[in-house]
Amino acid sequence: MNILIVEDEPKTGDYLQQGLREAGWLVDLATNGHDGLHQALTGDYQLLILDVMLPGLDGWQLLAALRHAGVLTPVLFLSARDQVEDRVRGLELGADDYLVKPFSFAELLARVRTILRRGRPLPESSSLAVADLALDLLRRRVTRGGQRIELTVKEFALLELLLRRQGEVLPRSLIASQVWDMNFDSDSNVIDVAVRRLRLKIDEGRSPKLIHTVRGMGYRLEELEVKEPPP
Ligand code: CA
């Protein structure tokens, strides 16, 4: 899941980005309203964290432009001003929550989790599972057979993608654009290396194998006992 932060104060922006990354999300940062709007319109985000006072477009204008364009991504506002009219205005414009600076990171994290839990356009579970593998999307935890598995942020994103589209063959180009936000470079073996690492953590010594290589095409996650050539 991806989060976009729009915050012009470098210290706050970096702090939030770092903290949310460590909590397991993929996080982008924009430092003014125009860049923020562009990224929010073109990127695939599950949550926007908007500072109110921004150069270019302010947070209100950014939210209004987004909603006008039909983008319904949940929004958490950050504001230095604790004024009732700000709060009311934000909620009227369609913000999902409002946090007054200064706030603790733990409080932000709690709000983020709450919004993500309720803020999805379609009723969707906060976990994904296949066989005895389970992903907790809010706590960013993975278990197999009840045992906790430690994944990097990229590995988690890769596994989430495979699970959401289980049974489908996912070409490397699609994985590259969804997980690495990059165009596929045929000389790059980044994806193969990452899949190999993920497979070691998820499938090694376990049955059934879940991550399958489809030769010449890509990767597929499926609960099937398939005989595979040695790597
Ligand atoms: Ca600001």
Side-chain angles (χ1 to χ4, degrees):
M1 290 203 276
N2 300 348
I3 296 175
L4 174 65
I5 300 168
V6 189
E7 166 62 84
D8 60 312
E9 293 157 25
K11 267 172 83 175
T12 310
D14 290 346
Y15 169 74
L16 293 179
Q17 186 176 34
Q18 170 119 14
L20 290 169
R21 278 185 175 160
E22 282 167 10
W25 281 287
L26 297 171
V27 185
D28 291 334
L29 176 64
T31 55
N32 66 65
H34 289 292
D35 288 353
L37 178 60
H38 177 74
Q39 282 178 249
L41 286 172
T42 55
D44 179 21
Y45 298 104
Q46 280 71 52
L47 175 66
L48 308 176
I49 298 177
L50 300 183
D51 186 28
V52 172
M53 302 303 285
L54 289 168
L57 292 175
D58 69 24
W60 311 130
Q61 293 169 316
L62 202 167
L63 176 61
L66 269 185
R67 296 296 187 246
H68 185 69
V71 176
L72 300 177
T73 313
V75 169
L76 168 62
F77 265 118
L78 306 179
S79 174
R81 296 176 299 176
D82 186 14
Q83 292 183 353
V84 177
E85 26 314 4
D86 268 8
R87 195 182 295 255
V88 169
R89 189 172 170 195
L91 298 175
E92 275 177 355
L93 279 167
D96 294 79
D97 208 347
Y98 190 100
L99 201 52
V100 176
K101 295 178 183 176
F103 50 82
S104 73
F105 188 75
E107 186 176 7
L108 176 87
L109 200 55
R111 302 285 187 100
V112 165
R113 285 185 171 139
T114 303
I115 294 174
L116 289 175
R117 199 176 290 132
R118 70 171 184 228
R120 299 207 179 89
L122 295 170
E124 190 183 355
S125 158
S126 63
S127 62
L128 294 167
V130 61
D132 57 349
L133 175 75
L135 258 78
D136 181 331
L137 297 171
L138 293 170
R139 307 214 166 268
R140 318 305 283 172
R141 281 186 194 151
V142 179
T143 56
R144 186 150 189 201
Q147 277 186 313
R148 179 89 179 264
I149 298 172
E150 295 293 340
L151 297 184
T152 65
V153 169
K154 292 292 184 194
E155 287 165 352
F156 191 97
L158 174 59
L159 185 58
E160 181 180 346
L161 175 67
L162 286 163
L163 256 168
R164 283 189 186 282
R165 311 216 11 200
Q166 59 183 281
E168 285 179 56
V169 179
L170 303 184
R172 289 174 178 78
S173 56
L174 180 118
I175 295 173
S177 67
Q178 297 274 310
V179 178
W180 276 266
D181 197 20
M182 65 178 192
N183 292 320
F184 184 52
D185 168 2
S186 56
D187 294 330
S188 162
N189 66 346
V190 171
I191 291 152
D192 300 304
V193 170
V195 171
R196 201 175 308 142
R197 285 216 193 100
L198 179 62
R199 187 183 261 157
L200 273 176
K201 294 184 180 179
I202 297 297
D203 276 344
E204 181 78 358
R206 293 184 169 98
S207 175
K209 303 291 183 218
L210 298 173
I211 301 173
H212 309 281
T213 304
V214 183
R215 197 161 285 220
M217 294 180 71
Y219 296 99
R220 184 184 60 213
L221 186 146
E222 199 167 21
E223 184 184 356
L224 272 183
E225 202 51 85
V226 178
K227 281 214 170 14
E228 291 186 50

